[in-house]
Amino acid sequence: MSAALEVKGLTTQFSTRKGAVTAVNDVSFSVQPGRILGLVGESGSGKSVTGFSIMGLIDEPGRIIGGQVMVQGADMRKMSTEEQRKMRGRAVSMVFQDPMMTLNPVLRVGDQMAMAVRVHDKVNKAAAWERAREALEIVGIPAPRERLQAYPHQLSGGMRQRVAIATALLHRPAVIIADEPTTALDVSIQGQILAEVRRLADDIGTAIVWVTHDLAVVSSLADDIAVMYAGRIVESGTAEQVIANPRHPYTRGLIDSVPGLHEPGQDLPQIPGSTPQLVNLPSGCPFRSRCPRATDICASFPHNTGTEAHSVLCHHPLEAT
Amino acid sequence: MTDPILKIDGVSKRFTRKPGPIVSGIDKLTGRNSTQTVHAVNDVTLSVARGEVLGIVGESGCGKSSMGRVVSGIYAPTEGTVTLEGKPVARDHRGNVEKLTTRVQMIHQDPFASLNPRMKVGEIIAEGPRIHGLIPAREVQERVRSLLEQVGLEGAYANRLPHQFSGGQRQRVAIARALAMQPDLLVLDEAVASLDVSIQAQVLNLFMKLRRELDLTALFISHDLSVVRHVCDRVAIMYLGRVVETAPADELYAKPLHPYTEALFGSVPTLGTGRARFHPIKGEIPSPINPPKGCAFHPRCPLAGPRCKAEVPRLVTPSDNRSVACHLQDGGTGTQTGATA
Ligand SMILES: Nc1ncnc2c1ncn2[C@@H]1O[C@H](COP(=O)(O)OP(=O)(O)OP(=O)(O)O)[C@@H](O)[C@H]1O
Ligand SMILES: Nc1ncnc2c1ncn2[C@@H]1O[C@H](COP(=O)(O)OP(=O)(O)O)[C@@H](O)[C@H]1O
Ligand code: SF4
Ligand code: SF4
Ligand SMILES: [Mg+2]
Ligand SMILES: [Mg+2]
């Protein structure tokens, strides 16, 4: 089967007063139809910029300086602005942490969803409303016909996020990029949305990139996991491999610092220091200053020392089991 | 339990939301009253022993922060009393403003908003003790230094401004500032919620270290069940302003008794291998403006019966150190089958 989304060597820079910042650095991954890739990392690691770069939504002072973004085999980066616009919403769409990035506060849900339908499909208004109703149903919104009449502010945060996801689904895109869509929601609402998203992938075959800082969420939702640190994917593999047998010292440290896995009251294993500034990032492995396994050779940038299926960018990876 | 140091007795906190000018104009014409009452905290009774850390858990809007603010003396309770070693900390409901206490210190979620950006960190830490005359002026610098070291920062950082610190370091500064007041009780409101996991672990370790060294008593407010399990001795679960269950942390996690607690645990994804089946709680959290009658959880509870719609469940004590507010633990719901649609 060919990948719904394939990203190769994606590199995005921002020019700042202090110098160039490579927010996304040689990032590669692919997502098959019906699979969910969890893109995990701490704040500032480059997750959102990766999402925006895939969507072609990087503006000045940012610039994609290299790489390919293949959606169903077509390279988005080779397309004209107009062609890219046609892909957005139809072949690939994005859901943001704040649903109001998608929703227009002064329009009824039905009107704005119908408009989104008619951007790409010339159907009449009644048919567009019907498509909107179906999409709300898919994401588990009760009484969808009534919700179409509502304005966004009349809905709860969880309901608004579902409307945003439903809007992303209107054209049955092959790929959805979801950037921390449940981070601001309560766990009971998050649980409902995760269950619906899993169904989307399983039943409709949508390929999903689920961006989050929450390891517990990806370990229970995703098929595959890619771990980002300082703009790079430092480890990727199936969710089972990465969680049960993390091979990069950073992934290991991240998993170890989650409180749920330890005897209550015990000191948590902690990663020393803090995430590096991307301006003037020293060469070599960016995790070097915090890494318990670092040696002199880590002053040169590590290549993949794992396998293709379970990759690790580290000179001294932990053992594969 | 040993003699409690903190007693929260029948505390309620209600807010009234007055309508805007247009709606109140309409109200005048029609004789309606659109003023709304938010039941943020509803008849809460809790106590905390010296040296104990009590976790307060619940979803957004259930009243955790409001409770924390009442305990800190920031809000006056609408009803009830809060006492620390027998002396009232909160202003009482008649509006008698007691001297605002220094014995309770609160640490907030947002380390950015809670520190004055124009003050040096040393001044921020020394401000409280200076105003309240807790330490002689000539000892202030030395005290600031040792506090900074106690929270894992270099003494020399006293001369820096807050923006020169990372989020985790700022939270350390906020902790040092609170400790400078030598409080009898700390109230931590989502103190690690905005930190990345690796930094969160550092701050949690610091909290546990300080706890051992200083025998701290604390209310630890959090929506994160695994963080609470890790650092708290006892936990109170809140839903729509009420405490629905309290228990020692290990017993609660081993066997929750309240259907909401159980459902909440079932909703939280845990770090493990293999895809989880999600068993989310159905429905949404109702508004605290018109909370459901009877048991506030009944519209979402799979075990609800007729009694649940009519009668507020009492907090009963199925064992010495646990309490739970559910009819199932107190004579039944009227029928065992009546799940509401
Ligand atoms: N100053 C205020 N005026 C009016 N309503 C308020 C005020 N403070 C809180 N509320 C309301 O009281 C209820 C409880 O709020 P509170 O902040 O205590 O919740 P919380 O449990 O801390 O939630 P979160 O997890 O989102 O921090 C909410 O409905 C809130 O909107
Ligand atoms: N518009 C911008 N200008 C300059 N730097 C930016 C801009 N947007 C993002 N960055 C930088 O790119 C890096 C990655 O950011 P982001 O993708 O938002 O991280 P994440 O989503 O993983 O938290 C950060 O260092 C951030 O400061
Ligand atoms: S390359 Fe070296 S510094 Fe980087 S993670 Fe591996 S061992 Fe640590
Ligand atoms: S009192 Fe009734 S509705 Fe409330 S939690 Fe118990 S069984 Fe459920
Ligand atoms: Mg982001
Ligand atoms: Mg709060």
Side-chain angles (χ1 to χ4, degrees):
Chain A
M1 205 178 342
S2 76
L5 172 69
E6 184 159 21
V7 175
K8 279 191 206 155
L10 185 65
T11 303
T12 303
Q13 277 190 346
F14 290 93
S15 49
T16 70
R17 266 182 297 146
K18 290 180 185 162
V21 165
T22 309
V24 174
N25 202 340
D26 194 16
V27 159
S28 304
F29 58 81
S30 66
V31 194
Q32 301 292 327
R35 283 183 85 85
I36 301 179
L37 169 75
L39 187 61
V40 243
E42 298 184 280
S43 57
S45 58
K47 306 180 299 293
S48 297
V49 175
T50 301
F52 287 120
S53 302
I54 291 168
M55 296 297 292
L57 294 174
I58 296 291
D59 289 322
E60 287 293 320
R63 203 162 65 88
I64 300 177
I65 60 165
Q68 292 177 313
V69 176
M70 316 284 284
V71 175
Q72 294 183 299
D75 191 347
M76 294 272 287
R77 294 207 53 230
K78 292 219 175 87
M79 294 176 195
S80 67
T81 325
E82 178 56 22
E83 286 170 320
Q84 278 192 9
R85 200 186 58 77
K86 282 190 179 148
M87 296 287 282
R88 277 199 292 273
R90 190 148 57 176
V92 49
S93 54
M94 187 154 174
V95 180
F96 305 92
Q97 178 170 345
D98 178 1
M100 294 314 286
M101 299 256 304
T102 307
L103 303 180
N104 184 333
V106 302
L107 291 180
R108 284 186 300 171
V109 166
D111 283 324
Q112 53 188 303
M113 288 183 75
M115 271 168 64
V117 170
R118 301 212 291 170
V119 166
H120 294 302
D121 294 337
K122 301 293 159 237
V123 295
N124 67 28
K125 206 174 155 206
W129 272 66
E130 182 52 26
R131 286 259 293 277
R133 191 195 59 75
E134 280 168 20
L136 293 185
E137 206 156 49
I138 291 172
V139 295
I141 291 187
R145 218 176 280 283
E146 285 148 46
R147 304 291 176 167
L148 288 172
Q149 304 291 339
Y151 289 90
H153 71 88
Q154 296 171 316
L155 304 175
S156 68
M159 207 51 87
R160 261 180 277 190
Q161 193 56 282
R162 274 177 222 236
V163 171
I165 295 173
T167 304
L169 273 177
L170 283 170
H171 297 278
R172 298 284 163 100
V175 182
I176 291 182
I177 316 271
D179 189 359
E180 311 237 17
T182 58
T183 302
L185 303 178
D186 276 312
V187 281
S188 69
I189 310 301
Q190 166 173 278
Q192 294 167 357
I193 290 183
L194 296 181
E196 300 297 344
V197 166
R198 190 63 250 181
R199 274 205 315 117
L200 268 185
D202 291 344
D203 298 354
I204 305 184
T206 315
I208 295 166
V209 179
W210 193 264
V211 172
T212 179
H213 66 281
D214 190 330
L215 276 169
V217 165
V218 283
S219 82
S220 38
L221 175 74
D223 302 296
D224 303 290
I225 291 179
V227 181
M228 278 193 94
Y229 188 79
R232 306 257 190 183
I233 289 181
V234 296
E235 176 161 9
S236 69
T238 64
E240 280 93 321
Q241 285 170 332
V242 173
I243 300 292
N245 181 208
R247 300 199 58 208
H248 195 284
Y250 174 65
T251 316
R252 172 88 259 172
L254 212 51
I255 291 173
D256 282 347
S257 54
V258 175
L261 302 175
H262 303 275
E263 185 66 18
Q266 296 293 306
D267 273 354
L268 298 164
Q270 61 185 47
I271 304 176
S274 51
T275 42
Q277 299 288 315
L278 294 182
V279 187
N280 306 323
L281 196 65
S283 63
C285 175
F287 190 54
R288 200 162 21 128
S289 63
R290 309 173 74 188
C291 182
R293 297 169 80 87
T295 62
D296 290 346
I297 193 184
C298 304
S300 74
F301 192 81
H303 57 273
N304 178 12
T305 48
T307 60
E308 199 181 336
H310 185 176
S311 72
V312 206
L313 265 60
C314 173
H315 290 295
H316 310 295
L318 290 109
E319 222 166 284
T321 54
Chain B
M1 189 169 51
T2 54
D3 222 15
I5 166 173
L6 174 75
K7 279 190 178 163
I8 300 169
D9 196 5
V11 164
S12 294
K13 177 69 198 168
R14 293 188 283 274
F15 298 99
T16 33
R17 278 199 198 138
K18 297 243 156 53
I22 295 171
V23 175
S24 51
I26 297 172
D27 276 8
K28 270 200 198 109
L29 291 175
T30 59
R32 248 186 358 177
N33 183 0
S34 302
T35 305
Q36 294 178 315
T37 304
V38 181
H39 299 257
V41 178
N42 213 334
D43 193 17
V44 166
T45 296
L46 285 171
S47 56
V48 185
R50 181 179 298 283
E52 184 177 51
V53 176
L54 174 69
I56 309 240
V57 172
E59 297 182 277
S60 187
C62 71
K64 306 181 293 296
S65 299
S66 301
M67 262 275 298
R69 294 208 174 102
V70 169
V71 169
S72 309
I74 297 169
Y75 289 160
T78 315
E79 278 158 22
T81 55
V82 180
T83 55
L84 193 61
E85 291 182 312
K87 286 171 250 158
V89 286
R91 319 171 197 199
D92 75 17
H93 60 279
R94 282 179 224 90
N96 296 333
V97 181
E98 296 278 326
K99 183 168 70 91
L100 267 190
T101 185
T102 62
R103 291 179 300 145
V104 185
Q105 288 294 316
M106 198 159 174
I107 294 166
H108 301 270
Q109 165 168 2
D110 186 354
F112 292 71
S114 68
L115 301 175
N116 182 340
R118 279 182 289 276
M119 273 168 77
K120 285 185 185 159
V121 154
E123 294 164 8
I124 289 174
I125 294 170
E127 191 185 26
R130 214 182 34 231
I131 291 172
H132 293 93
L134 295 185
I135 21 174
R138 63 195 149 72
E139 284 170 30
V140 165
Q141 274 200 350
E142 187 43 42
R143 179 91 180 113
V144 165
R145 245 192 109 76
S146 80
L147 279 163
L148 281 171
E149 281 164 12
Q150 200 162 25
V151 299
L153 296 171
E154 283 172 38
Y157 285 2
N159 292 318
R160 293 200 185 172
L161 293 166
H163 77 260
Q164 294 173 291
F165 292 90
S166 68
Q169 288 175 322
R170 264 183 273 225
Q171 207 53 294
R172 288 172 194 265
V173 172
I175 293 171
R177 176 178 60 175
L179 293 179
M181 299 300 288
Q182 294 166 291
D184 294 313
L185 177 76
L186 278 184
V187 176
L188 299 99
D189 189 359
E190 301 280 5
V192 297
S194 61
L195 305 175
D196 275 320
V197 253
S198 72
I199 309 303
Q200 176 178 294
Q202 294 173 357
V203 175
L204 290 176
N205 285 349
L206 170 67
F207 174 71
M208 292 187 292
K209 176 191 90 127
L210 293 171
R211 200 193 150 177
R212 288 190 295 269
E213 289 172 2
L214 306 172
D215 196 26
L216 294 175
T217 308
L219 279 190
F220 192 98
I221 298 171
S222 174
H223 69 279
D224 187 325
L225 288 163
S226 56
V227 167
V228 164
R229 174 182 210 168
H230 200 79
V231 301
C232 297
D233 305 311
R234 219 151 48 86
V235 181
I237 306 279
M238 287 185 77
Y239 188 75
L240 274 178
R242 291 181 189 270
V243 169
V244 297
E245 177 160 15
T246 68
D250 49 350
E251 293 184 31
L252 184 77
Y253 286 82
K255 189 175 189 299
L257 293 179
H258 196 281
Y260 173 66
T261 315
E262 196 176 1
L264 191 64
F265 286 4
S267 299
V268 181
T270 49
L271 187 54
T273 53
R275 281 194 339 216
R277 288 241 187 84
F278 297 100
H279 301 285
I281 308 177
K282 64 180 183 175
E284 302 209 329
I285 304 167
S287 155
I289 292 169
N290 282 313
K293 296 269 171 314
C295 173
F297 188 53
H298 85 255
R300 307 172 79 190
C301 181
L303 303 171
R307 197 178 155 205
C308 306
K309 293 182 198 168
E311 199 182 316
V312 178
R314 299 183 302 156
L315 204 59
V316 296
T317 46
S319 67
D320 265 0
N321 45 14
R322 301 191 68 156
S323 69
V324 55
C326 169
H327 291 314
L328 288 171
Q329 305 288 332
D330 190 22
T333 63
T335 164
Q336 294 303 327
T337 52
T340 51

